[in-house]
Amino acid sequence: MNNEQLCKSDNMTIHKVQELIKVGNNDEIVKGICNIRDDTVVINYVFIKYIANHTTYEFILSIIAQNITLLLETCELFTVHFNAQYLTLSDVDKHKQFIYTAAQYFKSQYPNKLNKCYIYNSPSIFKQIFSVVKCAIDKETIGKIKLIHKDIKP
């Protein structure tokens, strides 16, 4: 499976995610937030969008960390594929403290373990969003982040 297919198969509609949340399908929600596929960590923002708040931040962080830790049992480095579909500037503003905390957490827990981070389906204002996030990330890590401009549709 190539890089683009990793996020394409995780591309969910808002309606599908809301339905999973409504019926309480927690296993699918957890898998939707973050999973391992083809030796990479796949994060799908649309799931995070609908459950993220100050009471769920630790839960979201633990799901991602568990997947990274599991992957590092068999790999020296990890690669992240982040599907940013539905991410907005207001989401980043609302969750900027969580973003900063998560960046610091991953930096301390997994130093020098990130191979690459590919970001797909980013909104057109992603440069503005990334400028907010960049302040929490060191220059070496910033160099490992690659924005994929082509939108990936299901």
Side-chain angles (χ1 to χ4, degrees):
M1 194 176 286
N2 68 33
N3 292 350
E4 291 181 1
Q5 288 172 323
L6 286 166
C7 278
K8 181 177 182 179
S9 58
D10 269 358
N11 201 340
M12 293 284 285
T13 66
I14 291 173
H15 176 72
K16 288 179 186 175
V17 172
Q18 289 172 329
E19 186 61 29
L20 288 173
I21 292 168
K22 182 179 175 183
V23 300
N25 192 335
N26 294 336
D27 290 340
E28 288 300 313
I29 293 166
V30 168
K31 281 192 267 181
I33 291 171
C34 184
N35 60 77
I36 297 173
R37 198 166 319 137
D38 293 347
D39 293 332
T40 65
V41 175
V42 179
I43 301 171
N44 197 345
Y45 176 72
V46 70
F47 284 89
I48 297 169
K49 181 177 184 80
Y50 288 98
I51 67 165
N53 62 55
H54 68 281
T55 62
T56 61
Y57 289 155
E58 189 173 318
F59 172 70
I60 293 166
L61 193 60
S62 73
I63 292 168
I64 297 168
Q66 287 170 9
N67 280 279
I68 293 170
T69 299
L70 185 61
L71 185 61
L72 287 174
E73 290 177 5
T74 58
C75 300
E76 186 176 327
L77 301 172
F78 68 94
T79 298
V80 173
H81 293 271
F82 181 78
N83 184 353
Q85 188 174 21
Y86 305 114
L87 180 67
T88 66
L89 188 55
S90 107
D91 292 338
V92 172
D93 186 50
K94 178 179 175 183
H95 304 298
K96 64 185 166 196
Q97 185 58 49
F98 170 69
I99 294 165
Y100 178 78
T101 301
Q104 295 305 308
Y105 173 81
F106 292 123
K107 180 180 173 181
S108 70
Q109 292 298 307
Y110 308 104
N112 303 314
K113 293 294 184 180
L114 178 65
N115 178 43
K116 288 280 186 195
C117 177
Y118 298 97
I119 301 173
Y120 301 91
N121 298 322
S122 59
S124 58
I125 58 161
F126 189 78
K127 286 185 181 185
Q128 292 173 330
I129 293 170
F130 194 61
S131 68
V132 172
V133 176
K134 268 186 4 184
C135 66
I137 305 171
D138 62 84
K139 285 187 179 208
E140 183 181 344
T141 302
I142 290 170
K144 296 177 181 182
I145 298 171
K146 182 167 174 53
L147 181 62
I148 307 299
H149 294 285
K150 179 180 169 188
D151 280 348
I152 310 213
K153 302 293 181 203

